[in-house]
Amino acid sequence: GESVGLHLPTLSVQEGDNSIINCAYSNSASDYFIWYKQESGKGPQFIIDIRSNMDKRQGQRVTVLLNKTVKHLSLQIAATQPGDSAVYFCAENGGDYKLSFGAGTTVTVRA
Amino acid sequence: EAGVAQSPRYKIIEKRQSVAFWCNPISGHATLYWYQQILGQGPKLLIQFQNNGVVDDSQLPKDRFSAERLKGVDSTLKIQPAKLEDSAVYLCASTPGSYNSPLHFGNGTRLTVT
């Protein structure tokens, strides 16, 4: 079946370095994508979104890239900070107001 | 604005008992969702409401799970009887209802079934 997935379950990054989290999706009908951050004991928190008519979108210290040709989504975090340690999920909307989530990538920031 | 409120935060029950979770969405949000998140996995949609009507409950185990959203505001999710595999975090989310708007999540209820 169609699903959203992340390439790596864990990512360890040095504080101050840039982080790149990858996500592959298989539903070619998906037209909206979101990255969420989830800290322990909390619900997913919205980071940034992108529509399928865009290739790139920037926020504060974060950039999302969308490659529709290979059905790939990435989240780049600039100058990673200890507060960025969390589980990151990509989610897609296949056109029916419902979001499907991947399994998540756990990011650990080393001091 | 106030976020999505959920209660209780934690619940421990024995298998075959019943349990209910409550959700108060962000004011004015027409669409409400219940997700189940098993440890180490991404959230999985259980049911979606638009105002007080069910839009999609195809993933809801209807033999034991039920949900309602009376008056199109608060919602309750019930499990009866609970099984060990129901141990998870139950997340409520809401959105204004406009297409392609992000979901706003509550902090969830962590259920442990022993």
Side-chain angles (χ1 to χ4, degrees):
Chain A
E2 296 173 326
S3 63
V4 176
L6 288 166
H7 290 308
L8 294 173
T10 62
L11 176 67
S12 179
V13 60
Q14 186 70 38
E15 180 179 357
D17 288 352
N18 296 334
S19 303
I20 299 177
I21 307 167
N22 295 304
C23 178
Y25 67 95
S26 57
N27 186 352
S28 57
S30 294
D31 58 3
Y32 179 58
F33 304 87
I34 306 179
W35 281 100
Y36 281 94
K37 172 186 180 182
Q38 188 173 28
E39 296 173 286
S40 180
K42 296 185 177 180
Q45 176 186 0
F46 170 82
I47 301 174
I48 191 167
D49 58 2
I50 188 168
R51 288 165 172 70
S52 59
N53 61 351
M54 303 172 68
D55 297 322
K56 179 180 180 179
R57 191 165 187 222
Q58 290 184 292
Q60 186 176 9
R61 283 202 305 119
V62 294
T63 301
V64 56
L65 299 176
L66 175 62
N67 185 329
K68 295 179 287 296
T69 302
V70 294
K71 298 188 184 68
H72 183 267
L73 192 70
S74 68
L75 177 71
Q76 300 177 4
I77 305 174
T80 310
Q81 303 170 358
D84 295 327
S85 292
V87 180
Y88 290 80
F89 293 97
C90 63
E92 64 175 321
N93 183 337
D96 51 7
Y97 285 80
K98 295 189 295 289
L99 288 183
S100 298
F101 285 78
T105 292
T106 300
V107 173
T108 303
V109 180
R110 306 189 307 272
Chain B
E1 64 180 3
V4 175
Q6 291 189 247
S7 67
R9 287 284 285 132
Y10 306 93
K11 190 73 176 179
I12 301 174
I13 61 172
E14 295 181 351
K15 59 184 179 183
R16 292 187 289 275
Q17 287 186 324
S18 62
V19 64
F21 313 124
W22 173 82
C23 172
N24 178 238
I26 293 173
S27 178
H29 281 196
T31 309
L32 184 148
Y33 308 78
W34 284 100
Y35 279 82
Q36 180 193 57
Q37 186 175 24
I38 293 172
L39 185 65
Q41 299 181 16
K44 171 191 161 186
L45 179 67
L46 291 176
I47 189 167
Q48 176 188 353
F49 291 93
Q50 180 75 16
N51 296 310
N52 62 346
V54 176
V55 174
D56 184 355
D57 62 357
S58 59
Q59 300 298 311
L60 190 72
K62 298 181 189 61
D63 58 333
R64 298 183 301 104
F65 286 65
S66 65
E68 60 182 8
R69 191 184 183 197
L70 300 176
K71 301 180 181 179
V73 182
D74 294 2
S75 178
T76 56
L77 175 70
K78 297 179 182 178
I79 307 175
Q80 182 180 12
K83 293 185 175 181
L84 295 177
E85 58 261 36
D86 298 332
S87 294
V89 175
Y90 291 85
L91 295 162
C92 179
S94 69
T95 186
S98 56
Y99 192 69
N100 285 346
S101 58
L103 274 61
H104 300 263
F105 283 87
N107 286 328
T109 295
R110 179 176 296 277
L111 174 68
T112 301
V113 182
T114 64

